[in-house]
Amino acid sequence: MNRSLKNLKIFMQIAFLEGISYLVLLLVAMPLKYFAQIPEGVKYIGWAHGVLFVLFCIYLLKVWVGFKWSFGKAVLAFIASLLPFGTFVLDARLKKEYPEVVHPS
């Protein structure tokens, strides 16, 4: 597997984890903070989500350059990270566009 495909695979894995952390933050940690006065969830899940978001951005840049994506495609991938379930939609589209990442030869 060449370097660009490896970066894309890592990007997709990070995007998936970032999406999960975002949903846990929104659907579990924030309600615990505001309705049960338990702020620790936001502190720790928020920190993990922040790290994953930074990694997402770094690998988005690597994939953007490595695959010579258009500016628009890179922006749409970034916007996907800001929307709940967006990274899961991105993951599904990338799997269709790059099946060699899912099933390497």
Side-chain angles (χ1 to χ4, degrees), residues 5-100:
L5 283 176
K6 187 175 180 178
N7 283 339
L8 180 61
K9 185 173 183 170
I10 293 169
F11 172 69
M12 290 168 65
Q13 292 169 341
I14 291 169
F16 189 80
L17 292 173
E18 193 268 346
I20 290 172
S21 72
Y22 190 32
L23 291 176
V24 171
L25 184 63
L26 290 176
L27 301 175
V28 177
M30 289 182 72
L32 283 174
K33 178 179 180 176
Y34 293 108
F35 298 121
Q37 287 70 46
I38 304 172
E40 291 81 13
V42 171
K43 179 180 180 181
Y44 298 112
I45 300 298
W47 183 86
H49 173 68
V51 169
L52 287 167
F53 181 75
V54 169
L55 288 171
F56 178 92
C57 292
I58 290 168
Y59 273 89
L60 174 57
L61 285 171
K62 288 183 174 194
V63 171
W64 180 15
V65 170
F67 284 92
K68 297 178 175 61
W69 283 357
S70 69
F71 179 74
K73 186 172 183 173
V75 167
L76 287 175
F78 179 77
I79 290 171
S81 73
L82 303 176
L83 302 172
F85 301 101
T87 57
F88 304 123
V89 173
L90 175 64
D91 183 64
R93 288 188 179 181
L94 290 175
K95 284 179 180 174
K96 285 182 185 176
E97 188 173 346
Y98 301 99
E100 62 271 20

